[in-house]
Amino acid sequence: AAPDALASYWRVLPGGGSAEVLAEAGFADAAGADQSLREFAQSLGVKSLSDNARARLDRVLPALLHAATRSPQPDAALRRVLGLLQSILRRTSYLALLDEQPSALTRLDNVLARSALLSERLVAFPLLLDELLDTRVAGPMPGAQEMQDACSAALA
């Protein structure tokens, strides 16, 4: 599905929307994804957002949904996205950063799609987002061999 379809889907939750949109977007368990998104939309964290923070979420979440559909495992990526968003809702500065800096959004999506472990650490310790989203660290995420080489060089 196009990003517009996912944005429209999100805007009408929790009362409207159809799991068909999520199925067309590539979610294998569209009904489960729909239920997770409805529960997130009804959560206290989302309901208690200021108007400004809610507007930011309404721009960030569809972008993250669209990015999840492009990952090898959209359903897993969605669970990770929702877990992270739930943990940062009270820190609206992160929503602002993700909203205002597409490169930060791309970097976050890359990590969430690639690594369950890093996703869990980000949910547990949202302050790690500061390091992940640091604009001084440019370029794509290094591969496993590149990281191993960098660690070896640092220990040498």
Side-chain angles (χ1 to χ4, degrees):
D4 291 343
L6 292 170
S8 296
Y9 164 84
W10 168 249
R11 283 190 197 100
V12 297
L13 288 182
S18 168
E20 288 179 26
V21 173
L22 299 175
E24 290 171 11
F27 291 98
D29 180 12
D34 180 63
Q35 184 62 34
S36 295
L37 285 159
R38 287 179 192 283
E39 289 170 3
F40 178 72
Q42 293 175 325
S43 71
L44 181 61
V46 172
K47 286 183 174 182
S48 64
L49 289 173
S50 69
D51 290 344
N52 189 31
R54 177 60 196 238
R56 289 183 188 282
L57 178 65
D58 287 346
R59 289 187 296 270
V60 167
L61 190 124
L64 286 170
L65 272 179
H66 183 64
T69 65
R70 296 188 315 263
S71 76
Q73 298 177 344
D75 297 87
L78 173 63
R79 284 190 301 276
R80 295 171 190 160
V81 162
L82 292 179
L84 179 67
L85 286 174
Q86 193 67 52
S87 74
I88 66 169
L89 283 176
R90 290 182 308 254
R91 298 167 183 92
T92 56
S93 59
Y94 289 126
L95 284 176
L97 177 66
L98 294 171
D99 183 30
E100 294 167 5
Q101 294 187 17
S103 63
L105 193 65
T106 301
R107 186 180 268 293
L108 177 61
D109 168 58
N110 192 1
V111 168
L112 294 176
R114 284 180 162 202
S115 174
L117 176 64
L118 288 177
S119 299
E120 290 170 10
R121 297 295 89 204
L122 287 169
V123 168
F125 305 103
L127 287 175
L128 291 173
L129 280 171
D130 292 333
E131 297 299 320
L132 176 70
L133 303 177
D134 189 337
T135 57
R136 295 171 295 175
V137 181
M141 293 286 295
Q145 188 59 48
E146 291 174 274
M147 285 195 266
Q148 189 170 1
D149 293 346
C151 289
S152 296
L155 294 173

